Amino acid sequence: MHYTTQQDVLDFVEDNNVKFVRFAFTDIFGTQKNIAVLASDLPKALEEGVCFDGSSVPGFMHVEESDLVLRPDLSTLAILPWRPAEGRVMQFFCDIQKPDGRPFGGNCRGFLRGMARRFKHLGLTCNVGAECEFYLFETDDRGRPTRIPIDQGGYFDVYPLDAAENLRRDICLTMEQMGLAPQHSHHESGSGQNEIDFHYASPLKTADNVMMFKQITRAVAGRNGLYASFMPKPLAGQAGSGLHVNISLYMDGKNLFEGDIAPDSIPGSFMAGVLAHSRELTAFTNPLPNSYLRFGCDEAPRYVSWSRQNRSQLVRIPAVQGDNCRMELRSPDPACNPYLAFGLVLAAGLDGIENRMQLCGPVNRNLFELEPPEAAGLGLEVLPATLEEAVDAARQSPFLAKYLPEGLAQRYFAEQLRRCDELRQAADPAEFERARYFCAI
């Protein structure tokens, strides 16, 4: 059921024995936060919103002007099925406002919603799908994550090499309970690595789904005495984890990615924009120092290029038909803020359409086997090799200055560089990374 009024929600709470309601949101770096409201106080919270201290959330507000208000999106209502059946727990995803009702620049859901609206003004409907990879690790006798993967399986393996088939099943069934639509699930290339894909939806719905999927996966893994890590490269010598983003465009009911793509067509210009701005986007699609260990191996791209089917490319066009026709961006990883990452990828495509950029020719080569001098001879740009390089490219970008709220951009870049400095100054970088990221992402 789609809940649209406060009375619909209050009736649901009473009919389903809900006692706690989580108001969930993300900081600008994609970390999920929440505050729980007792069901008896829900009518007031729905009417007035929930005030919180924005200065205590990284990247939000200064102490001298710290109050912010959470406004729930009623359509995102969901019961958390892993919580007790008695005194059930329900959750909303929220937008964030200033106390006087003005928009807050760090409201990343609002940023993505606004970008999708700009496509509608052009007569275009944009759908986004996500393919999310993650690792499963054993925990120690105190429940803390280890670096021991759950199995030694590989791509598409089955039991006994794949020890996670029942857990993936539980994740998919929980997703269905909560209104998500899982499509495929399988063991990935790395030991203990898995992938679950879900059906495409609107950009905002898919970003919400990514956040909910990570929440579900962590909860189901924890219930089974395991730890789910969405860190981009948790194990040296094993495949990194990506968050492949699939995008289709519709006009008058027709999927514009179906069939041949002319360089000056709408989908051609959209892809051209994504390719043109890909280096600037990388600080947002790949937000950790660890993200850059993934590029250039195990099907993660290094060069700015596109092709059909070819998985060594930054952008590829899968060999599918009908509504499944789309472009796939293969650089993002699951540590990103999906609201910002999706919104900026759409902004790049929109910039390509509005400026009538022409799509370059495909590069029908296995780029994993390409040496740097040969890549330079082909005129291929290279994705940033470090987070510092990515932030530098982003800070100099007129494109990002045009689309991103200024305060958000500056706070985001400052935090990224602080992360780099912390890692560089750590006495034991590997232990710092484990404590700071492996146990949190």
Side-chain angles (χ1 to χ4, degrees), residues 321-440:
Q321 296 179 344
D323 286 342
N324 291 320
C325 292
R326 63 195 188 273
M327 61 153 275
E328 177 187 356
L329 180 65
R330 297 179 60 79
S331 57
D333 66 53
C336 73
N337 179 338
Y339 303 104
L340 272 184
F342 294 177
L344 288 172
V345 171
L346 293 185
L350 181 66
D351 194 59
I353 293 171
E354 291 181 338
N355 288 290
R356 299 184 178 181
M357 294 184 188
Q358 291 217 6
L359 180 63
C360 59
V363 179
N364 299 315
R365 299 279 300 276
N366 180 354
L367 299 185
F368 298 135
E369 299 176 349
L370 205 64
E371 295 297 329
E374 194 175 1
L378 292 172
L380 297 180
E381 276 194 299
V382 183
L383 292 174
T386 65
L387 181 56
E388 292 100 325
E389 185 182 340
V391 170
D392 187 56
R395 292 174 97 168
Q396 297 181 43
S397 167
F399 157 73
L400 289 177
K402 174 183 175 182
Y403 284 97
L404 271 181
E406 181 180 358
L408 183 152
Q410 295 310 313
R411 290 191 292 270
Y412 188 93
F413 297 146
E415 173 63 16
Q416 300 297 72
L417 293 177
R418 187 182 70 81
R419 289 175 172 181
C420 295
D421 288 341
E422 285 181 339
L423 184 61
R424 189 164 42 246
Q425 295 170 14
D428 184 344
E431 175 56 27
F432 174 84
E433 187 175 69
R434 189 200 71 80
R436 180 75 167 79
Y437 301 120
F438 177 72
C439 295

Side-chain angles (χ1 to χ4, degrees), residues 300-312:
R302 173 176 287 144
Y303 300 105
V304 178
S305 59
W306 78 277
S307 181
R308 290 186 178 272
Q309 303 186 47
N310 190 336
R311 281 177 165 78
S312 69

